């Protein structure tokens, strides 16, 4: 885990040097082999109505793990458990014109995973999906173009790091 935290630290510093706003996200898995997604509210500025993973912007002076821990608590009421892998790093520009570097990780959470406390102003629902459920959601959302985070979650869920007890 120390290597992952070191990698996150380096990714964050590189984004800062390049003048990018850093965003961190967690594909949270549960002991049943599912991933958690939440639907963004229709009135939010970025990606309204889209399915998303837990995460958000890294505040000035905040480390990526600290930002992720804060976002997990704010968005779900859970506590960040373990960060087990970096699953995706990419740059994007939002409709607001701001350039961002997003670092998404595979993680676990602690708390009552059956009862997320959604951040009401930002999300309308949260659900756990197994691989089949993600495939079905992907098919349903294909026409809307709301597939990026669903595909990311599906990729993370089927990666060796997401399967406890299997070698990576």
């Amino acid at each position: 885990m120390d290597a992952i935290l070191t990698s996150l630290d380096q990714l964050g510093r590189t984004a800062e040097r390049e003048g990018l706003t850093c965003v961190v996200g967690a594909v949270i898995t549960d002991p049943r082999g599912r991933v958690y997604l939440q639907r963004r509210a229709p009135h939010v500025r970025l990606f309204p109505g889209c399915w998303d993973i837990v995460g958000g912007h890294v505040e000035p002076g905040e480390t990526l793990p600290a930002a992720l821990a804060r976002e997990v608590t704010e968005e779900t009421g859970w506590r960040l458990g373990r960060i087990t892998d970096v699953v995706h790093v990419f740059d994007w520009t939002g409709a607001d014109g701001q350039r961002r570097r997003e670092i998404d990780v595979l993680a676990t959470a602690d708390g009552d995973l059956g009862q997320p406390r959604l951040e009401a102003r930002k999300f309308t629902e949260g659900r756990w999906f197994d691989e089949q459920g993600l495939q079905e959601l992907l098919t349903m959302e294909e026409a809307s173009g709301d597939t990026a985070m669903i595909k990311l979650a599906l990729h993370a869920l089927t990666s060796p790091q997401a399967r406890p007890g299997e070698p990576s």
Side-chain angles (χ1 to χ4, degrees):
M1 183 146 138
D2 288 340
I4 293 167
L5 296 179
T6 300
S7 175
L8 288 175
D9 186 46
Q10 291 170 345
L11 288 166
R13 284 198 313 262
T14 300
E16 272 183 19
R17 278 195 307 272
E18 294 176 14
L20 299 169
T21 298
C22 211
V23 176
V24 64
V27 178
I28 297 175
T29 60
D30 74 358
R32 294 174 52 190
R34 302 176 301 172
V35 296
Y36 179 78
L37 294 178
Q38 50 194 6
R39 187 181 291 273
R40 296 174 66 82
H43 64 272
V44 296
R45 185 172 44 111
L46 294 173
F47 311 110
C50 290
W51 285 99
D52 202 358
I53 59 176
V54 174
H57 291 88
V58 178
E59 301 292 336
E62 194 174 38
T63 66
L64 273 66
L68 191 58
R70 176 182 50 76
E71 292 288 349
V72 167
T73 300
E74 287 175 1
E75 294 182 9
T76 66
W78 301 329
R79 292 173 312 286
L80 178 63
R82 291 184 54 220
I83 297 172
T84 58
D85 196 22
V86 175
V87 292
H88 196 56
V89 178
F90 61 102
D91 295 350
W92 57 278
T93 303
D96 58 1
Q98 189 172 11
R99 293 178 49 232
R100 296 166 174 86
R101 172 149 308 141
E102 182 161 338
I103 298 118
D104 296 325
V105 300
L106 192 59
T108 61
D110 298 320
D112 185 353
L113 300 183
Q115 298 293 319
R117 188 187 71 231
L118 293 178
E119 194 172 2
R121 301 176 324 274
K122 294 185 180 178
F123 301 98
T124 58
E125 69 177 301
R127 291 180 28 204
W128 289 98
F129 293 92
D130 61 13
E131 185 177 352
Q132 180 180 343
L134 284 172
Q135 292 285 5
E136 291 169 3
L137 184 62
L138 190 57
T139 300
M140 287 188 326
E141 299 293 336
E142 204 90 52
S144 72
D146 174 21
T147 60
M149 290 296 116
I150 300 167
K151 287 177 181 176
L152 174 72
L154 184 59
H155 168 74
L157 183 63
T158 58
S159 74
Q161 294 82 358
R163 294 184 218 119
E166 290 188 25
S168 50

